[in-house]
Amino acid sequence: MSSQPDLDQLQRRIGYQFEAPERLLLALTHRSYGNQNNERLEFLGDSIVNMVIAEHLYLQFEKAREGQLSRLRARMVKGVTLAEIGREFELGKYLRLGSGELKSGGFRRESILADAVESIIGAIYLDSDFDTCRQQVLRWFEQRLKSLDLQDTQKDPKTRLQEYLQSRQFPLPRYDVISVDGEAHAQTFHVSCALPSLGRKTTGVGSSRRIAEQQAARNALKELGVEND
């Protein structure tokens, strides 16, 4: 969060020493800080992490179908996962943010942390080469990749609920926000999922509307007897 973060400390955390530390500094610079920011590095890092994870999954799951591989990759490279990695590095305290983002707690925001992780990946690639960058990405994702299996390719609850209703020619569910609690940087969403044709309504709670809707959909599937706990 400071204008001059301790880059030596961060490099030890991420396990990579930059030949040109200014690349890492740029990767930590959010667009709210100024015109010289990490957006271009984020674009590059996003492509690299998708490629590296796709290649690894292709080799790890030789019998997986394309759809299964796509869902596994999506789980690995989604913003939630990238933000978790950012928190493991305590990345928030190294970010360079504008005053507005600082005041609103941007150093905790999932999207900003995820973008910074991708930006660092892009910076490592420019500072070294693709093989070195691949090794770093796989090391950061190592435990998550080891825990994967093909059972993880199941579609998300909202998709499963929608397909269940469509297959029976029922109207689609309606999701409504019941309430939002907490400060802007640490909100809790309460969402309902209504199935008017079946006379059912479930609720979900989460740190984002998306997460709360997924939980509400999962609870609806349980109510319908489609899924167990």
Side-chain angles (χ1 to χ4, degrees):
M1 292 184 293
S2 65
S3 58
Q4 292 298 327
D6 186 345
L7 297 184
D8 289 338
Q9 184 184 59
L10 179 56
Q11 287 174 105
R12 289 192 294 271
R13 288 185 185 279
I14 67 176
Y16 179 82
Q17 190 75 28
F18 277 81
E19 293 289 333
E22 61 269 20
R23 289 193 174 111
L24 175 57
L25 190 63
L26 183 61
L28 298 169
T29 305
H30 187 257
R31 65 177 177 270
S32 63
Y33 191 85
N35 291 331
Q36 295 296 315
N37 57 62
N38 63 7
E39 287 186 321
R40 283 168 54 84
L41 285 174
E42 176 201 338
F43 164 79
L44 183 59
D46 174 71
S47 299
I48 293 168
V49 73
N50 271 276
M51 170 59 196
V52 170
I53 297 301
E55 177 189 49
H56 181 86
L57 295 173
Y58 180 86
L59 297 173
Q60 181 177 347
F61 297 102
E62 295 181 355
K63 297 182 179 180
R65 298 184 299 276
E66 182 273 339
Q68 292 176 304
L69 292 172
S70 294
R71 286 189 285 274
L72 285 175
R73 181 182 60 182
R75 175 175 173 177
M76 285 292 98
V77 304
K78 65 184 180 180
V80 173
T81 305
L82 291 166
E84 286 174 355
I85 292 172
R87 292 189 189 98
E88 289 167 7
F89 293 149
E90 297 185 11
L91 204 54
K93 70 183 192 179
Y94 302 99
L95 295 174
R96 297 206 296 177
L97 304 170
S99 58
E101 283 293 350
L102 276 174
K103 290 177 183 177
S104 66
F107 56 93
R108 299 190 192 94
R109 190 163 297 133
E110 185 176 279
S111 60
I112 291 178
L113 289 169
D115 290 348
V117 170
E118 290 180 333
S119 299
I120 293 173
I121 291 169
I124 291 173
Y125 169 72
L126 292 178
D127 196 69
S128 56
D129 53 49
F130 186 77
D131 286 339
T132 300
C133 191
R134 178 199 283 118
Q135 291 170 18
Q136 287 298 125
V137 171
L138 292 178
R139 189 169 63 80
W140 294 358
F141 282 84
E142 181 178 8
Q143 294 305 314
R144 291 172 173 83
L145 289 168
K146 283 182 177 178
S147 67
L148 286 180
D149 61 48
L150 291 183
Q151 296 302 312
D152 295 313
T153 62
Q154 193 174 29
K155 296 177 182 177
D156 66 82
K158 285 183 67 175
T159 301
R160 297 198 301 274
L161 178 59
Q162 177 176 315
E163 291 180 349
Y164 174 86
L165 295 172
Q166 287 178 326
S167 69
R168 289 157 178 79
Q169 298 184 326
F170 291 140
L172 295 179
R174 188 185 72 246
Y175 297 94
D176 295 302
V177 176
I178 301 170
S179 64
V180 182
D181 305 325
E183 300 296 327
H185 63 275
Q187 294 181 323
T188 299
F189 289 77
H190 300 258
V191 171
S192 67
C193 172
L195 309 177
S197 60
L198 300 176
R200 297 175 184 270
K201 179 181 285 189
T202 58
T203 59
V205 180
S207 58
S208 70
R209 178 171 180 168
R210 178 184 59 80
I211 293 173
E213 288 179 350
Q214 295 287 8
Q215 186 182 95
R218 185 178 292 108
N219 290 336
L221 289 166
K222 292 175 184 176
E223 284 278 325
L224 294 169
V226 179
E227 293 184 5
N228 298 317
D229 291 331

